Amino acid sequence: EVQLVESGGGLVQPGGSLRLSCVASGFTFSDYWMTWVRQAPGKGLEWVANIKYDGSEKFVVASLKGRFTISRDNAERSLYLQMNSLSVEDTAVYYCARPPHPAVRPSSLCDWGRGTLVDVSS
Amino acid sequence: EIVMTQTPLSSPVTLGQPASISCRSSQGLVHSDGSTYLSWLQQRPGQPPRLLLYKISNRFSGVPDRFSGSGAGTEFTLKISRVEAEDVGVYYCMQATQFPWTFGQGTKVEIK
């Protein structure tokens, strides 16, 4: 069974930093692109970032470039999101997700974690 | 950035009746590899999203066949042939043809 378990969220003051983690199991993590998606309270879904299975390609939404960094450790079966200079607008549940097929360009997102809540507030 | 626009934003339906959601993209979604990376996801209350359909009409594993997708170019449709109580939730279209990936605003399906 595929499992994605996010952690690292919590309450942080504006201007602070957090590092989110997502530990994967039930599939060959090193074969899959991985994605972070966020959802502000009561709002829709927003794609944040993608990373290729070997870490050689990374894509981050333009509005977050320079503040958010995606990375992975295939040996640890883990995906990360480093978030700096956080603002109240970054308050959201952050999900990690996996596409349906290994190695190839991702076509969608078929497996999702339950998310971790990041609350940016003074 | 490709903008995804869903209609309606709210859809009250009667159990057993069909439902339909439209999704329009601001640009064509055909990738240079020939595929159209348009997906539909369902989010039940308090749950993470769940993939229903990918590449317009491919039903993901375990998804009931009452869910179907169609469309081409910039116009896409999700149809539920007979709505069941468990179908209540918010439905999103998503394009993965071009970065940044983008989602529609979501359509809330509820029972009348």
Side-chain angles (χ1 to χ4, degrees), chain B residues 59-89:
Chain B
R59 209 173 294 115
F60 188 61
S61 175
V63 174
D65 59 9
R66 64 178 182 274
F67 292 95
S68 64
S70 62
T74 62
E75 302 278 349
F76 305 93
T77 302
L78 170 70
K79 290 185 179 173
I80 310 174
S81 59
R82 293 173 305 279
V83 171
E84 299 188 4
E86 66 179 17
D87 300 336
V88 165

Side-chain angles (χ1 to χ4, degrees), chain A residues 56-117:
Chain A
S56 63
E57 294 182 46
K58 303 176 185 181
F59 300 89
V60 178
V61 66
S63 59
L64 300 177
K65 267 182 193 171
R67 293 197 302 121
F68 284 26
T69 303
I70 187 171
S71 62
R72 65 191 295 160
D73 183 336
N74 285 344
E76 296 294 323
R77 308 174 62 86
S78 294
L79 175 71
Y80 304 104
L81 186 68
Q82 177 67 43
M83 307 186 297
N84 298 330
S85 303
L86 286 162
S87 70
V88 294
E89 289 76 28
D90 296 316
T91 293
V93 173
Y94 286 74
Y95 296 102
C96 73
R98 180 192 83 133
H101 306 106
V104 298
R105 187 190 186 287
S107 59
S108 188
L109 297 167
C110 67
D111 290 294
W112 296 65
R114 296 204 61 84
T116 187
L117 175 63

